[in-house]
Every structure is written in C-alpha cells, then in structure tokens.
Amino acid sequence: QSALTQPASVSGSPGQSITISCTGTSSDVGRFNYVSWYQQRPGKAPKLMIYDVTNRPSGVSNRFSGSKSGNTASLTISGLQPEDEADYYCSSYTSTSTPYVFGTGTKVTVL
Amino acid sequence: EVQFLESGGGLVQPGGSLRLSCVASGLTFSSYAMSWVRQAPGKGLEWVSVISGSGASTYYADSVKGRFTISRDNFKNTLYLQMNSLRAEDTALYYCAKGLDYRLLDYDYWGQGTLVTVSS
C-alpha cells in the first residue's frame, strides 16, 4: 500500500484561502468516505482536523473544510492565519492488506 | 483530561527486540481501539498497527507484519508494541493514538511519542 500523494508544499498570505490535495486510488480514497486530515506543528503530535471527508471535531475552527471527488480529497483552509503554519497529512481507510494509509504530507507556509 | 504516555524507546542493534508501552489516563481505556503510528526523522506519518478495545482484533501494516505484535492490558490501561527483528528502517518516533469514537481507525488523541533508533 503506497502513501497517498500530496503536494510537498503550499503557501499563502494571511487572509487568503489555500487548498491541499490528496490523491489516492479506487482502493482507498475513491472507495471509502473515510478521509481524515491531521495538522502537525513542529515537535508536536498530530491533531485531527477533519474526519469522514467533511466533519470537524469539536473545537476545530470552521476555517478548515474538506471535500472529495473521485480518488482525490481536498482540505481547504480559509482566512489563512499564522498559526495555520504546519504540516498537514491526509489519511484514508483502504481495502488492501494494510487497512489505513497516510498521505505524504504537505508543509503549509504563511507568507 | 485524556492523556497517553509512551515509553520503552531507545537504541537497539539490527535484529534486536524492543517493547514499547503506552499508559492511558482520563478515559475508559477498554472502550476504545488503540493504534501505533510512527514517523521516521524528518519524514511523514506511517500507520503501524491497531487493536480493538477488547483486544480480540488486531491488524498490521505489511511493513511490520510477522515482526511486530500489538497487545493491551485493560486492567493496567496500557497498550504495548513488541518489536522483533528490528531493521534500520524501523527507526522512528512511535506514537500511540486513540481511535475516534468507537471506530478502529482515525485518531482523536495522541501521545507525544517514544523514539526508537535501530543502529549498530
């Protein structure tokens, strides 16, 4: 099971919106509506930001939203803020022998 | 407050063994699936293994299948990962993570990790 594909980096200015893509296959992203997104700040553990493609856990800002089309999921951060600077990872259930897979990760930089 | 504290990491030679522990507090431990996720230095996240709340079901990544064993002691609120036949590519920070709600996968609470270094 290969990692889901994400862009290595995405950047934006404060107040702008950015979108991070997460491309998988028909065995993972395309098959299940169980795509999640995690934020990881330097030296910290990951934090769940989105689950089941579009749902936000309690306490997560509504500036974060998720979507999916076919084999590609996306995370959009609206009204970009300096504290959004972090690495972001998508994940998905899979139908292969490894039941869960993460994306390659995207570094978000706030200019 | 839900908290997890991992321990057991360290330096081990290739082919050696190590057992990681993750002690939980602030939750009914036996109600939740638990997983191990690792992160090699400067690299991305890699899912390793999951165990159901009762311990009856376990699943592994292909990369560790046959070498690693996940287990739990619900009386001690502790999750374990027995790692055998260690390789250089197993070098990573190992996190324990709690399953979201009552599902096996997706994680809403994480520990801070314990570092495993495999080197001669």
Side-chain angles (χ1 to χ4, degrees), chain A residues 1 34-36 38 40 43-48 51-52 87 89 91 93 97-104, chain B residues 37 39 43-47 50 59-63 65 95 100-101 103-108 110-112:
Chain A
Q1 175 67 46
Y34 290 122
V35 175
S36 293
Y38 298 87
Q40 187 180 34
K44 300 296 185 182
K47 174 186 176 183
L48 182 66
Y51 66 96
D52 295 353
D87 293 326
Y89 295 90
S91 69
Y93 286 35
S97 53
T98 298
Y100 198 73
V101 64
F102 287 99
T104 51
Chain B
V37 175
Q39 187 169 33
K43 303 297 184 182
L45 302 173
E46 181 185 11
W47 183 85
V50 62
Y59 301 91
Y60 298 91
D62 287 345
S63 58
K65 203 169 292 182
Y95 294 101
L100 174 65
D101 297 331
R103 61 179 75 183
L104 277 179
L105 306 168
D106 294 325
Y107 308 105
D108 55 356
W110 299 62
Q112 288 306 304

Side-chain angles (χ1 to χ4, degrees), chain B residues 60-112:
Chain B
Y60 298 91
D62 287 345
S63 58
V64 305
K65 203 169 292 182
R67 300 187 299 122
F68 290 11
T69 302
I70 191 171
S71 62
R72 65 191 297 159
D73 184 333
N74 287 340
F75 294 104
K76 295 182 178 180
N77 284 2
T78 302
L79 172 73
Y80 301 102
L81 185 68
Q82 178 66 43
M83 304 186 296
N84 298 331
S85 302
L86 282 162
R87 307 166 179 167
E89 54 264 37
D90 295 319
T91 294
L93 186 64
Y94 284 73
Y95 294 101
C96 63
K98 168 189 165 292
L100 174 65
D101 297 331
Y102 296 101
R103 61 179 75 183
L104 277 179
L105 306 168
D106 294 325
Y107 308 105
D108 55 356
Y109 287 94
W110 299 62
Q112 288 306 304

Side-chain angles (χ1 to χ4, degrees), chain A residues 53-96:
Chain A
V53 179
T54 61
N55 294 337
R56 279 186 310 275
S58 174
V60 172
S61 170
N62 60 9
R63 298 187 297 104
F64 292 84
S65 61
S67 63
K68 192 188 89 166
S69 177
N71 295 339
T72 299
S74 299
L75 173 72
T76 297
I77 309 175
S78 305
L80 200 61
Q81 298 182 1
E83 59 263 33
D84 298 333
E85 195 161 280
D87 293 326
Y88 291 83
Y89 295 90
C90 61
S91 69
S92 175
Y93 286 35
T94 90
S95 61
T96 70

Side-chain angles (χ1 to χ4, degrees), chain B residues 50-62:
Chain B
V50 62
I51 186 168
S52 62
S54 67
S57 298
T58 59
Y59 301 91
Y60 298 91
D62 287 345

